[in-house]
Amino acid sequence: MEHYKETYEIKKKIINSRLNDFKRFYSEPVSWVFSNNKMKLVELGKNDNERIFEELSFCLLTANTSAAMSMKAIDHIRPILTKGSIQELSKKLIESGYRFPNKRAEYIFEAREKLQKEHNVDIKSLIENRDAKETRDFFVDNIKGLGYKEASHFLRNIGVFGLAILDKHILRTMHENNMIEDFPKSLNRKRYLEIEEKFKEFSDILNIDMDALDLLLWSMKNGEIMK
DNA sequence: CCGACAAGGTCTACC
DNA sequence: TGGTAGACCTTGTCG
């Protein structure tokens, strides 16, 4: 347990800077760009809905792929995200070397159609005036391809904090520290919420904020502070 | 060189 | 109703 605190002290600065990036994303007109294996925030002249939809798409791409692969993929499809057909999106994903071009192109396309038709694309209004957990439920229930892990990831990336991102690295760490009995193959809603509470306890014990702890643990398994 | 395996999960079908 | 095997799929790394 103690080495988490020690590592946190070492990485505190970069972790907080990344958390600040997520907050910036919420309030400023910036988008993520991934090049030369580095991520940075830049102004691309996009409105909130485009930027947020881009982040949603990124999270739809991220499930069961490497972080680098999904970032490379999102850079390839960015120009056609708001207008491309399933076939066009799929083609761009194939060009980028992405693993699941067909299914994920479908998910992105369906998400875009649904948000446009049923919610007039105003994604921020779906987030504001709503509890973070409620918002997550909404996205999980309404966006095909987005489960609890990726919905939490999406919200964290756009500056909505306080949700646990229970990926295999976090779950393994929790298992290693006897916070959970076994290493779950899959999580339903009930189980996800249970383990999320345990992650909060973990965060309290270490006295490290949940969102910071997520970045810390992930980086300790992968050597990097990503997003 | 080549087979095995892992890379920020989620959906569907079936029991 | 709740649980899980199989599909999705390509690239890079390791022995």
Side-chain angles (χ1 to χ4, degrees), chain A residues 34 105 209:
Chain A
F34 182 62
D209 186 75

Side-chain angles (χ1 to χ4, degrees), chain A residues 37-92:
Chain A
N37 260 27
K38 297 277 281 182
M39 304 177 348
K40 58 179 178 182
L41 283 173
V42 294
E43 292 203 18
L44 297 177
K46 298 188 176 242
N47 66 38
D48 284 346
N49 288 315
E50 286 177 298
R51 296 185 310 108
I52 294 175
F53 182 70
E54 183 176 308
E55 201 54 34
L56 178 65
S57 303
F58 167 73
C59 290
L60 283 168
L61 293 173
T62 299
N64 202 23
T65 70
S66 67
M69 184 181 270
S70 51
M71 283 194 247
K72 197 170 147 195
I74 197 72
D75 270 358
H76 272 76
I77 57 169
R78 178 174 291 112
I80 61 163
L81 260 185
T82 56
K83 54 187 189 309
S85 64
I86 295 179
Q87 291 74 22
E88 289 165 336
L89 290 165
S90 175
K91 186 161 173 263
K92 286 284 179 197

Side-chain angles (χ1 to χ4, degrees), chain A residues 22 25 32 51-67 69-71 73-74 77 81 98 100 104 107-108 111 139 143-159 165 227:
Chain A
F22 299 139
F25 185 92
W32 288 104
R51 296 185 310 108
I52 294 175
F53 182 70
E54 183 176 308
E55 201 54 34
L56 178 65
S57 303
F58 167 73
C59 290
L60 283 168
L61 293 173
T62 299
N64 202 23
T65 70
S66 67
M69 184 181 270
S70 51
M71 283 194 247
I74 197 72
I77 57 169
L81 260 185
Y98 180 75
F100 306 112
R104 304 300 167 88
Y107 293 158
I108 290 171
F139 279 96
I143 305 296
K144 189 169 17 165
L146 205 69
Y148 276 85
K149 185 266 163 181
E150 284 306 337
S152 307
H153 185 200
F154 162 62
L155 290 171
R156 193 282 308 272
N157 281 7
I158 65 172
I165 305 169
K227 78 172 173 117

Side-chain angles (χ1 to χ4, degrees), chain A residues 126-174:
Chain A
L126 298 171
I127 296 165
E128 276 155 13
N129 306 317
R130 212 176 348 196
D131 179 67
K133 282 191 178 181
E134 267 179 67
T135 310
R136 178 174 62 186
D137 279 332
F138 172 83
F139 279 96
V140 172
D141 294 341
N142 287 280
I143 305 296
K144 189 169 17 165
L146 205 69
Y148 276 85
K149 185 266 163 181
E150 284 306 337
S152 307
H153 185 200
F154 162 62
L155 290 171
R156 193 282 308 272
N157 281 7
I158 65 172
V160 178
F161 291 172
L163 300 169
I165 305 169
L166 302 178
D167 62 56
K168 66 174 87 168
H169 304 300
I170 302 295
L171 291 170
R172 188 171 298 117
T173 301
M174 292 178 75

Side-chain angles (χ1 to χ4, degrees), chain A residues 4 149 164-188 191-196 198-199 202 214 217-218 221:
Chain A
Y4 293 119
K149 185 266 163 181
I165 305 169
L166 302 178
D167 62 56
K168 66 174 87 168
H169 304 300
I170 302 295
L171 291 170
R172 188 171 298 117
T173 301
M174 292 178 75
H175 179 50
E176 283 164 5
N177 289 281
N178 300 314
M179 308 280 304
I180 48 177
E181 296 295 323
D182 49 351
F183 182 78
K185 285 195 275 278
S186 63
L187 296 174
N188 55 27
R191 190 86 181 106
Y192 194 99
L193 296 179
E194 282 169 10
I195 299 181
E196 182 171 50
K198 288 185 185 281
F199 187 73
F202 193 26
D214 172 78
L217 297 183
W218 203 80
K221 290 289 186 194

